Amino acid sequence: MLNLVLFGPPGAGKGTQSAKLIDKYHLVHLSTGDIFRANIKGGTELGVLAKSYIDKGQLVPDEVTIGMLADEVNKSADAKGFIFDGFPRTSAQAQALDNLLSEKGTAISMMLALEVEEEELKKRLLIRGKDSGRPDDQDPTIIQNRINVYNAETMPVKTFYEGQGKYHGINGIGEIEDIFNSLCEHIDRP
Ligand code: AMP
């Protein structure tokens, strides 16, 4: 199985690149942010809970997020592989994902990290907020909070995969197609 973690701060381009990667490699795309937003739209209990964190730019608690992710993985028993987008975002989530995949006799193949500096992220998120209507992309205070949470809670996930020799940093600034080609070079490298 090819199991990719697409990593990077909010606004790094994970969603855009995931869409291109699933087309090329026929993987199942699991974006925890997208799943939360679908639950919010559907008015589920999970959606109501998630919204209370997302609206503040905070992370949804690990036990909720890990449980939801495990359910999604279990729904796709015949997948050729997965792209995890926006997950794991904490060390506890990374460890839980390793355990879950190991129970299935598989593992994360690599982490591909889109690297974009903070000023560029803020610009991109405000533009996305106007285009998509996502409330958490429209308020500079919430955007700053998400970036701070990323630096404090999510950056250790990089160290987790570096320790396993699976971390690959990719320049996330430039043409979408060029960034995609860099990702593919890493994936296709024997
Ligand atoms: P995203 O679409 O990936 O930017 O996620 C939007 C929001 O959903 C985040 O700011 C968090 O509040 C929440 N979220 C998404 N993925 C996770 C995760 N793996 N752990 C905790 N919260 C998450």
Side-chain angles (χ1 to χ4, degrees):
M1 275 176 107
L2 177 63
N3 296 312
L4 306 174
V5 173
L6 197 56
F7 190 71
K14 299 188 293 293
T16 305
Q17 295 297 335
S18 288
K20 295 175 74 63
L21 290 169
I22 49 174
D23 256 13
K24 177 161 179 183
Y25 295 97
H26 310 292
L27 304 171
V28 173
H29 179 214
L30 291 183
S31 156
T32 40
D34 284 353
I35 302 168
F36 285 134
R37 280 185 289 278
N39 275 277
I40 292 171
K41 214 169 160 199
T44 68
E45 207 178 310
L46 173 65
V48 173
L49 177 86
K51 190 175 183 330
S52 65
Y53 294 92
I54 292 175
D55 282 354
K56 293 188 215 124
Q58 293 170 355
L59 294 183
V60 178
D62 278 341
E63 60 275 21
V64 176
T65 308
I66 291 167
M68 177 185 87
L69 193 275
D71 287 347
E72 293 294 326
V73 169
N74 290 330
K75 274 188 212 162
S76 301
D78 50 0
K80 280 180 65 184
F82 293 94
I83 297 187
F84 298 99
D85 164 4
F87 184 96
R89 259 177 158 98
T90 64
S91 301
Q93 291 181 13
Q95 189 57 60
L97 182 60
D98 266 12
N99 297 347
L100 177 70
L101 294 179
S102 139
E103 279 166 21
K104 299 187 177 303
T106 184
I108 289 299
S109 313
M110 66 185 79
M111 164 180 266
L112 298 165
L114 294 169
E115 294 169 345
V116 177
E117 79 239 0
E118 196 168 315
E119 285 315 305
E120 172 71 14
L121 295 173
K122 289 182 196 164
K123 266 192 251 159
R124 287 187 187 182
L125 288 169
L126 285 169
I127 293 170
R128 187 168 80 182
K130 282 201 194 106
D131 294 345
S132 72
R134 265 181 68 169
D136 58 343
D137 283 343
Q138 291 178 18
D139 179 334
T141 315
I142 296 172
I143 289 176
Q144 187 62 55
N145 199 27
R146 286 159 67 206
I147 293 173
N148 295 348
V149 166
Y150 176 81
N151 289 332
E153 296 183 53
T154 304
M155 276 306 265
V157 177
K158 170 180 173 178
T159 316
F160 183 93
Y161 288 103
E162 268 174 344
Q164 298 184 356
K166 293 180 179 173
Y167 179 87
H168 302 272
I170 283 120
N171 178 12
I173 295 188
E175 294 296 321
I176 289 173
E177 210 50 41
D178 293 340
I179 299 166
F180 178 62
N181 289 335
S182 306
L183 291 168
C184 294
E185 273 170 30
H186 281 282
I187 295 169
D188 297 337
R189 201 173 281 166

Short mmCIF file of all heavy atoms in Angstrom, two decimals, residues 1 27 29 31 38 51 56 60-61 74 91 108 117 122 124 148 151 160 162:
data_model
loop_
_atom_site.label_atom_id
_atom_site.label_comp_id
_atom_site.label_asym_id
_atom_site.label_seq_id
_atom_site.Cartn_x
_atom_site.Cartn_y
_atom_site.Cartn_z
N MET A 1 0.84 -1.22 0.00
CA MET A 1 0.00 0.00 0.00
C MET A 1 0.87 1.25 0.00
O MET A 1 1.95 1.26 0.58
CB MET A 1 -0.85 0.03 1.28
CG MET A 1 -2.15 -0.75 1.19
SD MET A 1 -2.99 -0.72 2.79
CE MET A 1 -4.34 0.39 2.45
N LEU A 27 -5.61 6.89 -4.77
CA LEU A 27 -5.62 6.65 -3.32
C LEU A 27 -6.92 7.18 -2.73
O LEU A 27 -7.59 8.02 -3.34
CB LEU A 27 -4.44 7.37 -2.67
CG LEU A 27 -3.07 7.01 -3.25
CD1 LEU A 27 -1.99 7.93 -2.69
CD2 LEU A 27 -2.72 5.55 -2.96
N HIS A 29 -8.67 9.59 -0.27
CA HIS A 29 -8.29 10.86 0.34
C HIS A 29 -9.05 11.03 1.65
O HIS A 29 -10.28 11.05 1.66
CB HIS A 29 -8.66 12.00 -0.63
CG HIS A 29 -8.36 13.36 -0.12
ND1 HIS A 29 -9.13 14.45 -0.42
CD2 HIS A 29 -7.35 13.83 0.65
CE1 HIS A 29 -8.62 15.53 0.15
NE2 HIS A 29 -7.54 15.18 0.81
N SER A 31 -9.37 13.75 4.46
CA SER A 31 -9.07 15.08 5.02
C SER A 31 -9.95 15.26 6.24
O SER A 31 -11.18 15.34 6.13
CB SER A 31 -9.38 16.16 3.98
OG SER A 31 -9.63 17.39 4.63
N ALA A 38 -18.16 18.49 6.63
CA ALA A 38 -19.35 17.75 6.16
C ALA A 38 -20.28 17.46 7.34
O ALA A 38 -21.51 17.54 7.21
CB ALA A 38 -18.92 16.45 5.48
N LYS A 51 -17.38 22.09 15.54
CA LYS A 51 -17.54 23.52 15.22
C LYS A 51 -17.08 24.40 16.37
O LYS A 51 -16.48 25.46 16.16
CB LYS A 51 -19.01 23.80 14.87
CG LYS A 51 -19.25 25.19 14.30
CD LYS A 51 -20.69 25.37 13.87
CE LYS A 51 -21.01 26.70 13.23
NZ LYS A 51 -20.27 27.86 13.62
N LYS A 56 -12.81 28.63 16.72
CA LYS A 56 -11.80 29.37 17.48
C LYS A 56 -10.39 29.15 16.93
O LYS A 56 -9.43 29.70 17.46
CB LYS A 56 -11.84 28.91 18.95
CG LYS A 56 -13.13 29.28 19.66
CD LYS A 56 -13.01 28.97 21.15
CE LYS A 56 -14.34 28.49 21.70
NZ LYS A 56 -14.32 27.19 22.35
N VAL A 60 -9.59 20.03 17.31
CA VAL A 60 -10.62 19.16 17.89
C VAL A 60 -9.87 18.12 18.74
O VAL A 60 -8.78 17.67 18.35
CB VAL A 60 -11.44 18.49 16.74
CG1 VAL A 60 -12.48 17.54 17.29
CG2 VAL A 60 -12.07 19.57 15.85
N PRO A 61 -10.40 17.74 19.91
CA PRO A 61 -9.64 16.83 20.81
C PRO A 61 -9.22 15.53 20.12
O PRO A 61 -9.94 15.00 19.27
CB PRO A 61 -10.61 16.56 21.95
CG PRO A 61 -11.53 17.74 21.97
CD PRO A 61 -11.65 18.19 20.54
N ASN A 74 -11.44 2.26 8.30
CA ASN A 74 -12.10 0.95 8.32
C ASN A 74 -13.17 0.83 7.24
O ASN A 74 -13.47 -0.26 6.77
CB ASN A 74 -12.68 0.67 9.70
CG ASN A 74 -11.58 0.41 10.72
OD1 ASN A 74 -10.50 -0.09 10.36
ND2 ASN A 74 -11.81 0.76 11.97
N SER A 91 1.32 14.60 18.12
CA SER A 91 2.11 13.36 18.25
C SER A 91 1.23 12.18 18.63
O SER A 91 1.44 11.06 18.16
CB SER A 91 3.18 13.55 19.32
OG SER A 91 4.01 14.61 18.98
N ILE A 108 2.74 3.92 7.29
CA ILE A 108 2.92 5.15 6.50
C ILE A 108 4.15 4.96 5.61
O ILE A 108 5.20 4.52 6.09
CB ILE A 108 3.10 6.36 7.45
CG1 ILE A 108 1.78 6.71 8.14
CG2 ILE A 108 3.64 7.58 6.70
CD1 ILE A 108 0.64 7.11 7.21
N GLU A 117 6.23 29.99 4.00
CA GLU A 117 6.44 30.87 5.17
C GLU A 117 5.14 31.57 5.59
O GLU A 117 4.18 31.68 4.80
CB GLU A 117 7.56 31.87 4.88
CG GLU A 117 7.14 33.03 4.04
CD GLU A 117 7.95 33.12 2.74
OE1 GLU A 117 8.83 32.27 2.53
OE2 GLU A 117 7.68 34.03 1.97
N LYS A 122 -0.76 33.60 5.45
CA LYS A 122 -1.83 34.51 5.88
C LYS A 122 -2.50 35.13 4.65
O LYS A 122 -3.73 35.25 4.62
CB LYS A 122 -1.24 35.60 6.78
CG LYS A 122 -0.82 35.09 8.14
CD LYS A 122 -0.31 36.25 8.95
CE LYS A 122 0.48 35.82 10.15
NZ LYS A 122 1.29 36.87 10.73
N ARG A 124 -2.69 33.86 1.60
CA ARG A 124 -3.45 32.82 0.90
C ARG A 124 -4.76 32.52 1.62
O ARG A 124 -5.80 32.33 1.00
CB ARG A 124 -2.65 31.51 0.84
CG ARG A 124 -1.50 31.54 -0.13
CD ARG A 124 -0.92 30.13 -0.19
NE ARG A 124 0.29 30.07 -0.98
CZ ARG A 124 0.95 28.94 -1.21
NH1 ARG A 124 0.53 27.81 -0.69
NH2 ARG A 124 2.04 28.95 -1.94
N ASN A 148 -0.38 29.50 15.13
CA ASN A 148 0.28 29.29 16.42
C ASN A 148 0.08 27.85 16.90
O ASN A 148 1.01 27.21 17.42
CB ASN A 148 -0.27 30.24 17.49
CG ASN A 148 0.05 31.70 17.18
OD1 ASN A 148 0.88 31.98 16.31
ND2 ASN A 148 -0.60 32.62 17.86
N ASN A 151 2.35 25.60 14.97
CA ASN A 151 3.75 25.65 15.43
C ASN A 151 3.93 24.92 16.75
O ASN A 151 4.93 24.22 16.96
CB ASN A 151 4.22 27.11 15.56
CG ASN A 151 4.38 27.75 14.18
OD1 ASN A 151 4.66 27.07 13.20
ND2 ASN A 151 4.19 29.06 14.11
N PHE A 160 8.50 13.35 14.66
CA PHE A 160 8.05 11.95 14.76
C PHE A 160 8.43 11.19 13.47
O PHE A 160 9.01 10.11 13.52
CB PHE A 160 6.53 11.96 14.96
CG PHE A 160 5.90 10.60 15.14
CD1 PHE A 160 5.70 10.08 16.41
CD2 PHE A 160 5.47 9.86 14.05
CE1 PHE A 160 5.11 8.83 16.59
CE2 PHE A 160 4.87 8.62 14.21
CZ PHE A 160 4.69 8.11 15.49
N GLU A 162 10.53 12.29 11.07
CA GLU A 162 11.97 12.39 10.82
C GLU A 162 12.68 11.22 11.51
O GLU A 162 13.59 10.62 10.95
CB GLU A 162 12.52 13.72 11.38
CG GLU A 162 12.51 14.82 10.35
CD GLU A 162 12.91 16.17 10.95
OE1 GLU A 162 12.91 16.33 12.20
OE2 GLU A 162 13.21 17.07 10.17
#
